Amino acid sequence: MKLSQRIEEWLNIRPNEVRNVALSFAGAFLVISFLILARALREALYLTIFDIETLPYMMAAVAILSIPTVAVFARLLARYSPKNVLLALVLVVAAGLTVILLLSFGSGSQLQINIGVVGFYLWTALGTLLLTSGFWVLTSEYFAVRGAKRLFGLIGAGGTAGAMVTGNSLVWLKTLDVSWLIAILIAIIAFFAISQQFLPKLEESTAAEDKDSSMVESLTLVWRSPHLRTIALIVFVVAIATTLLDYQFKEAAQARFDTRESLTSFFGAFYGWTGGIALLLQLALVARILAVAGVAWALAIVPLTLLFGSVGMLVLPSLVLVTAVRGADASLRKSLYRSALEVLFVPVPTLERRKTKTFIDSVIDSFGEGLGAIVILVWVTSFGFQSRYLSVFIIAASIALISFSRRMGRRYLSTVAEQLQQSGTREDVRKARVELDGRDLLSGTFTRLDIRSLIQDGEQTPEVDRAPAAGAGPPASQADAIMAALESTDLTTVARALEETPAWDERQIPVLVRLLARDQLFDRAALALLTAGEAAVPLLTKMLGDESTDFVVRRRIPRVLGRMGGEEADDALLDALAANRFEVRYRSAIALVRRRRRGLPTSRREKEPLIWTAVRAEVGRGRPVWEIQKLLDEESEADDLVAERVGARGELSLEHTFRLLSLVLEPEVVRAAFNGVILDDDKLKNFSLEFLEQVLPADVRNKLWPFIGDISERQREKSLRPLGDVVSDLMTTGATLFADEQHQEALKRILEEQED
């Protein structure tokens, strides 16, 4: 495999995603470059002029000013395209930086410089909050939930690359004058605005939605949504813990370095190295951790790191240790935590996300920082305690974060399921969807209908075994007369007996069961068996479980048992899920679903293990059939009749698998997921796959994913086996379509023609 192919496979970017990913990567690079340079410069300027004990006041000021700022920004996002709002924001930030540069850092007095430093601190702090949040609002609208999990780590890698490059550049940028550094900041966000204008135009919703937004509405939306409320709690507590840890880190740094140049160099190197580590994490691990471990574990890694690091700070505080802990925190938050957090916003409806994301990212985050600053003021400034004991608060926050992360895992799944169901109720989806309990397509055998026309010598439709006709003499009793009528070869006589007989005895039940094989009499015979009730159940269950039972009869028994009461019927249908013949398994699952809907008695056995065993067996059996369907469907010259039936067989296998899943998972959500898989609707499919990835056991998901999942073309090619292996598997599946030797030969000829 070529290096380029390995990189493509590792990054897992689809051809239609290259443009958006490249522009989003560049946007993240420039936004974080601006953030790093602005942060390093404002902290160096501020700590050079003012004492570190005044820093909490600045944090509190940022928190207070963020409230009206975010209110205006959220209102704009709700009313206008995020791309246009970001462009306007860049113009405002650049204009503000220009004013500060001209008024304070030109030839101003010391007072002007002091005011300029404070203004620069507040302006860049607020600007980076809005730029970062606005960028991710825009990015989340270009990627659905599956793409977000797969690509947000890579896009975030652009940000960490920006942090690494800019941070390491500060080692020589420190020699430049402040005015030149501010000019560089303006240039960075100008390039950012230009890059994002090349993104495709977003499709705005035509629904009559309230596009006004206020701070109260944003807070209300967050409070009422368990999903958003949990995100807000995580952001809030992370901000508190990081603020406390950051104070410990900066205090130790100020004690070691006493000039602006040395502090700028130290902070630049720190941000550069943490950016480099975050970059490696995002390229190598983030997407895989999100896919394998899920968002809950991805979020829990940061608090676990803070927990163990803060315990160490209590025992042995030092610049090396606090730098290591702060570095691990920064690297993980830039990579794994940020990617997981952005993924959490993707399932949220678009307008709701626009109204709440910036509020959470800015106001909630700033309030967390503000509360952390208050703790510092009270603990260190007022009471005079050593900053090392702030680790006690960080430990408490870490424990809370671990609990919130576990809760978020459940909330995320619940939100995806809710959005899946809501997407499935759209008018266009409702018209096209298929109900798992509403189809019973096997009205005739495959051996009777399909490949027969391709066989040279023809084939006769198999006859149903019949009992000998009754003698010509008069019946000895009414029961004998009914039996004679049922065994008649005249359909009218049999139908009249089925309709006119009010009750049935045990001697007549075997005849009624055999009549299930006769298409014209099936409905009447089934009704007669239902009338016989519990007396018919033992024979029906015995014949259903007997592989030697006439197949035409056997495959129709589940339709009768699906309407009969009693646990014995449910037991038999559960056992039939392991039958050799697909049609029997298929109809038994239909019968079980219908029994559940009718509220009929269910088996007292452990049902879930039996059904999961059936699911695992079905996806194993289904692989060759799905593979052959793909091969036939790709050839436009394939025989229509055979291709259609093989395609239907594959579709029925998929439908059957989902029907089984509806017996062990939430039925309505599984039905919506099934429609998301088979219908041509990207949004619905994304929610369907995300839900299935969360709930399916790994072994089931791995077998099913190559046929329904969002996998790359190379992964798809690797999942396909040689044609000869597929045919060999088909010959051993026992599927009705290929059960006859003549049918197998016909199939081989078709496949050989396609290969030629």
Side-chain angles (χ1 to χ4, degrees):
M1 186 189 303
K2 296 180 180 179
L3 178 61
S4 60
Q5 292 177 322
R6 291 184 181 275
I7 295 174
E8 179 184 350
E9 183 179 2
W10 183 265
L11 297 179
N12 200 6
I13 304 175
R14 312 295 153 75
N16 62 327
E17 298 169 337
V18 173
R19 177 186 177 187
N20 290 349
V21 171
L23 290 172
S24 297
F25 183 95
F29 181 95
L30 293 168
V31 165
I32 302 303
S33 295
F34 177 84
L35 183 150
I36 294 300
L37 179 55
R39 178 188 292 172
L41 183 56
R42 71 169 178 257
E43 289 175 352
L45 288 172
Y46 189 88
L47 293 177
T48 301
I49 297 175
F50 302 100
D51 191 81
I52 191 173
E53 292 183 356
T54 63
L55 189 60
Y57 294 104
M58 297 301 297
M59 296 178 181
V62 171
I64 294 171
L65 291 174
S66 68
I67 297 175
T69 305
V70 169
V72 174
F73 190 65
R75 181 180 291 271
L76 292 174
L77 283 175
R79 282 189 161 190
Y80 305 106
S81 167
K83 188 194 298 187
N84 295 334
V85 174
L86 269 181
L87 177 60
L89 174 63
V90 167
L91 294 176
V92 171
V93 172
L97 289 175
T98 302
V99 171
I100 293 172
L101 173 61
L102 295 176
L103 296 182
S104 300
F105 296 105
S107 57
S109 64
Q110 186 61 44
L111 177 60
Q112 288 177 302
I113 293 175
N114 291 350
I115 294 174
V117 168
V118 173
F120 181 79
Y121 191 104
L122 297 175
W123 191 255
T124 55
L126 293 172
T128 52
L129 281 176
L130 299 185
L131 278 171
T132 305
S133 181
F135 166 75
W136 283 109
V137 168
L138 177 64
T139 303
S140 63
E141 300 200 9
Y142 284 100
F143 299 95
V145 63
R146 299 293 301 164
K149 287 185 70 176
R150 184 164 41 83
L151 298 171
F152 273 15
L154 176 60
I155 293 171
T160 51
M164 181 179 65
V165 171
T166 305
N168 289 323
S169 298
L170 286 174
V171 175
W172 59 269
L173 283 176
K174 68 181 181 180
T175 60
L176 297 177
D177 188 73
V178 173
S179 58
W180 276 103
L181 294 176
I182 294 178
I184 292 173
L185 285 174
I186 295 173
I188 290 173
I189 55 172
F191 281 118
F192 164 72
I194 294 171
S195 70
Q196 299 308 284
Q197 293 307 303
F198 286 100
L199 285 167
K201 184 179 180 180
L202 288 168
E203 293 184 7
E204 293 295 324
S205 173
T206 58
E209 297 176 294
D210 176 19
K211 293 193 174 184
D212 286 330
S213 180
S214 66
M215 189 62 62
V216 174
E217 183 185 10
S218 298
L219 178 60
T220 302
L221 287 172
V222 171
W223 181 257
R224 289 180 178 176
S225 168
H227 182 91
L228 291 172
R229 189 168 63 243
T230 307
I231 293 177
L233 285 171
I234 291 172
V235 170
F236 182 72
V237 178
V238 165
I240 295 173
T242 300
T243 300
L244 300 178
L245 179 61
D246 194 53
Y247 181 86
Q248 291 177 318
F249 168 64
K250 288 174 181 175
E251 183 186 51
Q254 189 184 46
R256 177 68 63 87
F257 307 103
D258 55 1
T259 65
R260 180 180 71 84
E261 290 76 14
S262 60
L263 278 172
T264 302
S265 178
F266 175 74
F267 287 142
F270 172 81
Y271 293 132
W273 279 104
T274 56
I277 295 171
L279 177 64
L280 292 176
L281 290 174
Q282 284 173 308
L283 292 176
L285 297 175
V286 168
R288 284 154 181 80
I289 291 175
L290 286 172
V292 176
V295 290
W297 276 107
L299 290 170
I301 292 177
V302 169
L304 285 171
T305 302
L306 290 175
L307 178 63
F308 291 114
S310 296
V311 170
M313 280 293 297
L314 282 175
V315 177
L316 188 63
S318 66
L319 177 62
V320 173
L321 180 57
V322 74
T323 301
V325 177
R326 181 71 178 93
D329 168 66
S331 298
L332 290 171
R333 282 196 303 110
K334 291 174 185 175
S335 55
L336 190 58
Y337 170 79
R338 171 53 66 180
S339 298
L341 194 65
E342 298 305 334
V343 168
L344 292 176
F345 280 103
V346 177
V348 179
T350 301
L351 189 59
E352 189 174 332
R353 180 171 60 242
R354 292 184 185 182
K355 290 181 176 182
T356 58
K357 185 177 186 332
T358 307
F359 173 79
I360 292 174
D361 285 346
S362 302
V363 176
I364 300 298
D365 185 78
S366 295
F367 267 93
E369 291 182 353
L371 182 57
I374 292 173
V375 172
I376 295 170
L377 282 172
V378 173
W379 190 260
V380 178
T381 306
S382 299
F383 291 164
F385 295 129
Q386 294 183 20
S387 64
R388 65 184 290 188
Y389 295 111
L390 291 174
S391 296
V392 174
F393 297 97
I394 300 175
I395 292 171
S398 301
I399 294 172
L401 280 171
I402 294 171
S403 174
F404 293 151
S405 299
R406 294 184 59 188
R407 184 192 305 176
M408 191 68 249
R410 297 189 295 269
R411 297 297 188 200
Y412 177 74
L413 176 59
S414 176
T415 300
V416 169
E418 180 182 338
Q419 291 302 308
L420 174 59
Q421 287 183 283
Q422 289 182 2
S423 298
T425 59
R426 297 202 323 266
E427 183 65 23
D428 57 331
V429 175
R430 285 195 301 109
K431 290 180 179 179
R433 70 184 180 185
V434 176
E435 294 293 341
L436 287 176
D437 58 348
R439 297 176 67 192
D440 196 351
L441 305 182
L442 302 178
S443 57
T445 62
F446 288 143
T447 55
R448 196 182 288 184
L449 297 177
D450 301 319
I451 305 184
R452 182 178 47 147
S453 60
L454 298 168
I455 301 174
Q456 298 291 340
D457 56 355
E459 178 183 344
Q460 298 298 319
T461 300
E463 295 293 331
V464 179
D465 294 335
R466 294 189 178 92
S477 65
Q478 184 180 8
D480 290 336
I482 294 172
M483 183 69 74
L486 293 176
E487 294 177 335
S488 171
T489 57
D490 180 59
L491 292 178
T492 304
T493 301
V494 179
R496 185 180 299 113
L498 290 171
E499 291 178 353
E500 296 177 354
T501 304
W504 306 93
D505 61 32
E506 293 183 359
R507 190 166 63 95
Q508 296 157 346
I509 288 176
V511 182
L512 294 176
V513 175
R514 289 199 300 272
L515 289 176
L516 293 176
R518 305 178 71 170
D519 292 343
Q520 302 90 334
L521 300 173
F522 170 77
D523 290 334
R524 295 182 179 89
L527 181 59
L529 288 167
L530 290 172
T531 303
E534 291 296 325
V537 172
L539 179 60
L540 288 170
T541 57
K542 179 181 178 182
M543 295 181 72
L544 179 62
D546 187 356
E547 298 285 351
S548 64
T549 298
D550 179 86
F551 175 64
V552 181
V553 173
R554 187 180 178 220
R555 70 184 182 82
R556 292 181 171 178
I557 289 176
R559 297 175 67 179
V560 180
L561 292 178
R563 301 184 181 185
M564 283 187 164
E567 297 172 7
E568 187 179 355
D570 207 66
D571 283 339
L573 291 170
L574 283 171
D575 290 335
L577 296 178
N580 287 338
R581 304 298 286 266
F582 170 75
E583 294 88 337
V584 175
R585 304 193 302 273
Y586 178 89
R587 290 187 176 225
S588 296
I590 290 177
L592 286 168
V593 170
R594 290 178 176 173
R595 286 179 67 85
R596 302 298 185 265
R597 286 216 163 184
R598 294 188 180 106
L600 295 176
T602 61
S603 172
R604 294 187 180 183
R605 293 185 294 174
E606 287 284 341
K607 295 180 284 294
E608 289 199 7
L610 291 173
I611 296 170
W612 278 115
T613 298
V615 170
R616 289 179 168 88
E618 201 58 47
V619 294
R621 290 188 183 100
R623 283 184 61 91
V625 181
W626 277 317
E627 287 170 351
I628 203 67
Q629 174 192 342
K630 287 180 177 296
L631 291 170
L632 288 174
D633 287 347
E634 288 173 1
E635 297 289 340
S636 58
E637 298 179 358
D639 181 272
D640 291 339
L641 185 62
V642 177
E644 179 182 355
R645 180 50 56 192
V646 174
R649 173 65 171 86
E651 291 171 9
L652 293 177
S653 295
L654 183 63
E655 178 187 328
H656 175 58
T657 300
F658 273 82
R659 185 176 290 113
L660 292 172
L661 292 174
S662 74
L663 294 170
V664 288
L665 302 173
E666 180 62 34
E668 293 301 323
V669 186
V670 172
R671 290 187 186 98
F674 173 68
N675 283 283
V677 168
I678 66 174
L679 299 180
D680 187 18
D681 186 295
D682 287 340
K683 182 177 181 180
L684 184 59
K685 184 170 185 177
N686 267 271
F687 283 127
S688 299
L689 296 177
E690 184 64 14
F691 169 76
L692 292 170
E693 186 177 73
Q694 298 289 319
V695 299
L696 291 180
D699 58 332
V700 174
R701 184 177 65 246
N702 290 340
K703 289 183 178 180
L704 197 58
W705 226 242
F707 309 105
I708 68 170
D710 54 342
I711 60 177
S712 66
E713 286 303 314
R714 182 161 189 81
Q715 290 171 320
R716 193 181 304 278
E717 290 173 5
K718 289 173 64 176
S719 71
L720 295 175
R721 305 199 312 280
L723 189 59
D725 293 348
V726 174
V727 175
S728 176
D729 281 350
L730 284 167
M731 300 310 150
T732 59
T733 57
T736 304
L737 178 59
F738 310 111
D740 185 273
E741 183 178 351
Q742 291 175 307
H743 297 170
Q744 296 173 7
E745 292 300 322
L747 178 63
K748 285 181 179 179
R749 286 198 298 273
I750 294 172
L751 297 177
E752 288 170 358
E753 291 173 3
Q754 290 174 347
E755 282 194 320
D756 295 338

